[in-house]
Amino acid sequence: MKKYVLILAAVAALYSCNKDKAGDAGLQKKVQTYLDGYNKEYQKLNVLVNETSWKMQIHIVEGDSTNAVANNKAMEAYAKYTGSSDNIKMAKAFLEHQDVLTPLQVKQLKSILYKAANNPETLQKIVSARIKAETKQTENLFGFDFKIDGKSVSANDIDGVLADETNLAKRRKAWESSKEVGKGLKTGLVNLRNLRNQTVQGLGYKDFFEYQVSDYGMTTDEMLVMLKQFNKDLYPLFRELHTYARYEYAKKYGVKDVPDMLPADWLPNRWGQDWSSLVDVKGIDLDAALKPKGAEWIVKQGERFYVSIGFPELPKTFWEKSDLYPAPAGANYKKNNHASAWHMDLDKDVRSLMSVEPNSEWYETSHHELGHIYYYLSYSTPEVPYLMREGANRAYHEALGSLMGMAAMQKPFMENLNLIPKGTPSDEMQTLLKEALNYVVFIPFSTGTMSMFEHDLYAENLPADQFNKRWWELAAQYQGIVPPTVRGEEFCDAATKTHINDDAAQYYDYALSYILLFQIHDHIAKKILHQDPHATNYYGNKEVGKFIQDIMKSGATGDWRKLLREKTGSDLSAKAMLEYFNPLMDYLKNENKGRKYTLPALK
């Protein structure tokens, strides 16, 4: 403490006596010395947190808390340093003179305060309780024993039933099984909501939702307005898709009376965020092509794609330390089945946690996760301080991962890899429809159901006895989805979504990432490849790779809005996404002639 008091006194003395260029240089030097020390310790603590968290995610044994205890200890050390009163005071004092500091120094000091707000030393007991609660919630979520008819099943097994099964009774059992975990997570979610809000209120934020949104340089109201606008922009197309899906699913399941709302257990995704498996594009059977190649080929092929456009090969340690495939049958442990990418040391130790199987879903997911990995590697350079080794904003990371996943699914790309025969005839409108049932259908879930629930949870302190009621109100309002049976408050269906628990109040990142990815893809297709955005082949094009690397390499050192304008020539807008799917409107209106629309038209 004494050291920091002396530094603050020196800063004050320096500025009272040397209000000139020499004084500016002296202050910049002191700030840089402080930042160098902070960055060094910040990296060290990230390694500790990531290593213990990694072990906790890949090896979950019921009743064994060894990994959880180690992770708690690491998180508390991280929280103690990032939230220390000394660091808060130093950053605030230096920022009082930000007009004479470099933009990069100002960025880092503001980042220090942002990170401190989630771990303020003045609320050490609350921070410690929150860390323990988060660890426990993660264990309860991913250590849960899902069962169908008394038999233990994995999350992948449930997803398989929902993807392929046409027997509605079996589908319902699988769907209901997937929601059982929520019962045991509800109390933990209430506790986490309270602790998260209390933590950030210590540095002046109203609630945890406002805190997370502020990372974009936006207010809660600004974010909500933007999310509602994106939802509104895409709503007319979504309304057509919803009508189409109701009738097609009813036909698929042999149901004569088409329901006004889509029953949640009719859908291929546990949360109704992706309906793309409703459409099979004739001439393209990617699952059949991938099955004999095996899971390892999928990940290796992802690497070959990135290398082909100019990225380096993945570090050897990626292959040695990642956990890429499902836990072995009969294993005495469980693992987190949610795909993720990890920047272990904020440098070259990068890893991925997946459960890859040889199918089209994991093929796309692997390309997506490697997008995160290559983003990490691109900004891990001496020019980017550890504090700034993040995406330009959180959505950029998701956008660039999703961009590469989408690129790998386009027909010319797959033909280039001989995953489908060259010149294979296929129905382009069906291809576009399948894509819309993924990307467009996701927007109301992400901008609406998820984001509005979390807003109400944190900003409005949604009462615990209304969690399930509110969740399904939003699902009906935004997605046109209802539960198959009455879901009382003994359930907590929102908490079955991992992000509600461990990536809280950030789900709009994914919505913004989809808007971004179409904007960036549109630029690549039209300005670099000079190809139709619906039929591109990025493979082997170094100019495409350079364009993407130029976005990635600066990390969070600049302004995300300025970066987007510089690279694409426009501000964040749904225009490119709307243009991409515009050909579908006439097709769907024709398909839906004589059908009953149950979602209201826009006024």
Side-chain angles (χ1 to χ4, degrees):
M1 180 67 184
K2 187 176 180 182
K3 178 181 77 171
Y4 287 98
V5 171
L6 290 173
I7 292 174
L8 291 172
V11 170
L14 180 73
Y15 243 70
S16 63
C17 303
N18 296 291
K19 293 182 180 178
D20 53 22
K21 289 184 179 179
D24 293 353
L27 181 61
Q28 285 184 12
K29 187 176 180 181
K30 284 188 178 295
V31 169
Q32 196 55 51
T33 298
Y34 166 70
L35 288 173
D36 289 345
Y38 187 100
N39 273 286
K40 184 177 180 181
E41 187 66 16
Y42 179 71
Q43 187 212 21
K44 176 181 168 186
L45 290 167
N46 266 274
V47 171
L48 188 63
V49 168
N50 287 331
E51 287 288 2
T52 55
S53 182
W54 176 260
K55 289 176 183 175
M56 194 175 77
Q57 301 284 337
I58 67 169
H59 198 91
I60 303 168
V61 178
E62 188 175 354
D64 184 352
S65 61
T66 305
N67 291 334
V69 169
N71 185 242
N72 276 341
K73 188 176 178 181
M75 289 294 291
E76 287 184 1
Y78 173 90
K80 184 176 180 181
Y81 183 75
T82 58
S84 76
S85 298
D86 290 341
N87 281 319
I88 292 169
K89 287 174 185 174
M90 289 294 291
K92 283 183 174 179
F94 286 138
L95 283 170
E96 287 178 6
H97 310 289
Q98 61 180 282
D99 55 320
V100 299
L101 303 180
T102 69
L104 185 55
Q105 287 178 330
V106 172
K107 269 282 225 181
Q108 290 177 84
L109 291 169
K110 288 182 176 179
S111 177
I112 287 170
L113 287 181
Y114 178 78
K115 289 173 173 60
N118 202 33
N119 304 301
E121 185 179 32
T122 51
L123 298 172
Q124 193 170 350
K125 286 185 179 179
I126 292 173
V127 172
S128 181
R130 190 205 75 226
I131 291 168
K132 287 184 173 67
E134 287 172 337
T135 303
K136 183 64 177 173
Q137 193 81 338
T138 298
E139 283 187 305
N140 290 343
L141 175 61
F142 294 113
F144 186 75
D145 185 17
F146 294 102
K147 292 186 178 181
I148 297 178
D149 291 331
K151 180 184 176 183
S152 292
V153 294
S154 69
N156 276 0
D157 292 333
I158 290 172
D159 290 340
V161 173
L162 294 178
D164 302 322
E165 183 58 63
T166 55
N167 181 297
L168 287 177
K170 292 180 179 179
R171 294 188 64 83
R172 182 169 296 184
K173 283 183 180 180
W175 186 87
E176 288 179 344
S177 170
S178 77
K179 301 303 173 190
E180 282 296 304
V181 64
K183 291 179 179 177
L185 296 171
K186 184 171 185 176
T187 301
L189 181 59
V190 174
N191 187 36
L192 280 173
R193 184 264 304 280
N194 297 337
L195 291 170
R196 284 166 174 160
N197 274 349
Q198 290 172 48
T199 298
V200 299
Q201 284 162 356
L203 256 67
Y205 292 95
K206 292 177 187 173
D207 56 75
F208 191 70
F209 193 87
E210 180 187 70
Y211 166 71
Q212 292 287 14
V213 167
S214 72
D215 198 31
Y216 282 82
M218 300 172 75
T219 65
T220 295
D221 286 345
E222 288 170 340
M223 178 60 78
L224 294 181
V225 166
M226 184 166 70
L227 295 179
K228 288 174 181 176
Q229 184 59 53
F230 289 147
N231 191 64
K232 185 178 179 181
D233 290 341
L234 289 155
Y235 181 81
L237 178 54
F238 176 74
R239 184 169 178 258
E240 295 292 339
L241 290 168
H242 181 266
T243 303
Y244 176 85
R246 285 172 34 245
Y247 281 83
E248 294 302 311
Y249 275 121
K251 191 188 303 179
K252 179 177 181 177
Y253 299 131
V255 176
K256 187 175 180 182
D257 296 324
V258 179
D260 286 352
M261 293 288 188
L262 279 165
D265 61 337
W266 282 23
L267 301 170
N269 175 272
R270 283 176 267 165
W271 304 277
Q273 68 188 63
D274 178 359
W275 311 344
S276 58
S277 64
L278 178 60
V279 173
D280 287 320
V281 181
K282 290 178 182 176
I284 298 178
D285 188 353
L286 189 54
D287 285 335
L290 292 171
K291 190 171 183 180
K293 292 182 179 296
E296 184 178 347
W297 182 91
I298 287 178
V299 189
K300 289 283 189 180
Q301 179 53 44
E303 179 190 34
R304 284 191 286 271
F305 170 33
Y306 285 90
V307 171
S308 82
I309 60 175
F311 286 90
E313 290 184 355
L314 291 167
K316 186 181 177 184
T317 52
F318 172 84
W319 300 105
E320 294 171 343
K321 297 183 177 182
S322 290
D323 192 316
L324 300 171
Y325 311 108
N332 64 348
Y333 67 91
K334 293 182 179 292
K335 62 178 279 192
N336 182 344
N337 285 300
H338 185 76
S340 56
W342 296 60
H343 201 186
M344 303 299 294
D345 62 350
L346 300 181
D347 199 18
K348 305 304 180 188
D349 184 354
V350 290
R351 304 177 198 174
S352 185
L353 173 58
M354 295 191 279
S355 292
V356 180
E357 296 185 278
N359 58 44
S360 56
E361 183 177 351
W362 278 110
Y363 166 82
E364 183 174 5
T365 298
S366 294
H367 283 81
H368 176 113
E369 294 306 326
L370 291 187
H372 290 297
I373 296 294
Y374 276 108
Y375 206 156
Y376 297 150
L377 293 172
S378 294
Y379 56 57
S380 292
T381 62
E383 293 76 28
V384 181
Y386 292 119
L387 266 168
M388 298 288 100
R389 292 185 185 182
E390 301 171 348
N393 64 29
R394 294 193 305 258
Y396 269 76
H397 244 293
E398 293 304 326
L400 292 166
S402 296
L403 172 74
M404 305 306 268
M406 184 175 81
M409 296 293 285
Q410 293 210 315
K411 186 179 174 183
F413 185 102
M414 293 190 290
E415 286 179 338
N416 182 67
L417 293 182
N418 295 315
L419 291 174
I420 57 173
K422 286 183 171 61
T424 299
S426 61
D427 189 325
E428 301 305 325
M429 194 58 69
Q430 287 294 296
T431 299
L432 194 60
L433 176 59
K434 188 175 183 70
E435 290 177 329
L437 289 168
N438 176 1
Y439 293 107
V440 177
V441 161
F442 182 76
I443 295 298
F445 175 70
S446 52
T447 63
T449 306
M450 281 290 288
S451 293
M452 298 308 162
F453 179 83
E454 291 200 285
H455 169 264
D456 291 357
L457 181 67
Y458 293 102
E460 305 294 339
N461 273 304
L462 181 68
D465 62 0
Q466 295 179 28
F467 280 11
N468 231 36
K469 175 175 177 285
R470 186 59 179 147
W471 175 257
W472 287 109
E473 283 175 351
L474 291 166
Q477 177 186 346
Y478 286 98
Q479 297 174 269
I481 294 174
V482 293
T485 56
V486 175
R487 306 286 292 176
E489 292 302 328
E490 71 272 23
F491 299 104
C492 188
D493 294 330
T496 67
K497 185 68 174 169
T498 180
H499 306 78
I500 294 282
N501 304 285
D502 53 20
D503 277 315
Q506 300 178 35
Y507 207 77
Y508 42 83
D509 292 356
Y510 297 96
L512 302 187
S513 78
Y514 275 22
I515 303 298
L516 262 173
L517 95 84
F518 279 97
Q519 200 164 338
I520 294 170
H521 174 70
D522 188 74
H523 180 89
I524 290 172
K526 293 177 180 175
K527 304 293 185 183
I528 299 176
L529 296 173
H530 305 290
Q531 296 172 357
D532 178 356
H534 304 95
T536 64
N537 182 15
Y538 289 17
Y539 208 96
N541 192 297
K542 299 294 195 291
E543 191 179 350
V544 169
K546 184 179 184 306
F547 175 78
I548 294 169
Q549 282 181 305
D550 284 347
I551 294 174
M552 290 179 166
K553 69 182 182 183
S554 57
T557 57
D559 182 275
W560 67 267
R561 298 170 184 83
K562 183 180 177 184
L563 179 65
L564 184 63
R565 282 193 295 270
E566 286 177 350
K567 298 303 176 188
T568 69
S570 57
D571 293 317
L572 188 63
S573 163
K575 181 183 176 185
M577 191 171 183
L578 287 166
E579 285 183 358
Y580 187 91
F581 289 108
N582 188 56
L584 261 185
M585 283 299 286
D586 288 341
Y587 170 82
L588 285 170
K589 284 179 179 177
N590 186 61
E591 290 291 306
N592 289 333
K593 274 182 182 175
R595 292 175 171 178
K596 178 184 175 185
Y597 288 79
T598 52
L599 293 184
L602 277 181
K603 294 180 181 178

